[in-house]
Amino acid sequence: MIIAVDGPTASGKGTISKALAAHFGLPHLDTGLLYRAVGRQVFLNGGDPDCAEDALAGTEFPDSLLEDDILRDEGSGSLASRVSIHPSVRKALFERQRAFAEQPGGAVLDGRDIGTVIAPDADVKLFVIASVDARAQRRFAEMSGRGAETTLDEIAEDLRRRDERDTNRKDAPLKAAPDAFVLDTSTLDKDAAIAAAIEAVEQALPSR
Ligand code: DC
């Protein structure tokens, strides 16, 4: 069974995907981490994330980079959003994601284009959304907890910028597949969001 979970940054899709993977006993791939690694590698190479050639060179990152906590930073997220607009970068990362989706038994993948491009054949597609305010509050709490100095306004502004870039890029923009179940987590806490996602998957798979 392939479960595709897409949605914007801080919508709750990562938490939901991990919980779905644990509940259904499936491996999970956070595809955003791959784009973050590319962005980080471009930075380490001294390249320009807006230059297609430099961004493509960043796809040759070592697997060890995926373990680096720096990928969780806002800076890496912003670099990821910039390198992800290049079709050559998306193409270079396609096979790795597709192979993960196709493994025997299935998988949960989360990202922006899983239900539309990577696994249009997914058994269940969730599109997780939340208001910018709710997402900024969550991100602020998470970052304050890590001791990062930032303001709610700065975070909200960054989220809007990234939404704009992810939604308006030509290649594989952030958008719900026509057959996706849209889950709005704006007013849900973590447990309620997970419960709603499990229910949505179970309803989509009545025979299980
Ligand atoms: O999910 P995230 O915040 O870690 O993703 C970081 C960036 O990577 C996001 O702004 C857009 C890009 N991305 C993408 O283009 N396609 C994906 N499947 C996952 C992430």
Side-chain angles (χ1 to χ4, degrees):
M1 164 170 68
I2 301 177
I3 303 180
V5 184
D6 291 302
T9 299
S11 57
K13 70 183 186 320
T15 305
I16 285 173
S17 305
K18 278 190 214 106
L20 287 175
H23 184 85
F24 293 101
L26 295 170
H28 166 235
L29 180 66
D30 167 4
T31 64
L33 210 53
L34 302 177
Y35 288 93
R36 285 169 182 259
V38 176
R40 177 72 186 159
Q41 189 61 47
V42 171
F43 172 82
L44 293 172
N45 292 346
D48 174 1
D50 301 323
C51 161
E53 207 175 313
D54 288 0
L56 182 61
T59 61
E60 292 184 15
F61 58 82
D63 275 359
S64 57
L65 183 57
L66 294 170
E67 310 297 323
D68 194 329
D69 270 352
I70 197 148
L71 296 191
R72 313 267 165 205
D73 285 5
E74 292 305 286
S76 297
S78 176
L79 283 169
S81 178
R82 288 164 69 186
V83 296
S84 70
I85 71 161
H86 303 296
S88 54
V89 168
R90 308 200 69 82
K91 199 163 160 234
L93 296 180
F94 178 87
E95 275 313 325
R96 184 177 188 146
Q97 297 172 80
R98 187 63 208 165
F100 194 92
E102 279 178 354
Q103 63 189 294
V108 180
L109 289 89
D110 77 82
R112 302 289 187 291
D113 61 341
I114 308 303
T116 50
V117 175
I118 304 296
D121 54 342
D123 300 275
V124 188
K125 299 178 186 178
L126 298 185
F127 194 75
V128 185
I129 57 169
S131 67
V132 170
D133 278 357
R135 290 157 57 208
Q137 293 279 2
R138 286 177 198 158
R139 202 27 78 86
F140 182 68
E142 186 190 317
M143 292 179 70
S144 308
R146 278 195 271 141
E149 279 191 25
T150 184
T151 66
L152 205 52
D153 283 351
E154 275 170 359
I155 294 177
E157 192 42 47
D158 185 55
L159 287 176
R160 279 194 199 95
R161 246 195 321 268
R162 281 170 60 185
D163 284 357
E164 160 87 16
R165 208 185 288 126
D166 294 351
T167 310
N168 293 321
R169 69 175 175 231
K170 282 209 190 75
D171 194 18
L174 168 67
K175 74 162 189 259
D179 51 347
F181 175 86
V182 179
L183 176 59
D184 187 342
T185 66
S186 301
T187 60
L188 303 179
D189 67 11
K190 185 176 158 185
D191 290 346
I194 290 171
I198 290 174
E199 197 189 327
V201 172
E202 275 169 351
Q203 284 196 357
L205 298 171
S207 59
R208 278 175 66 94

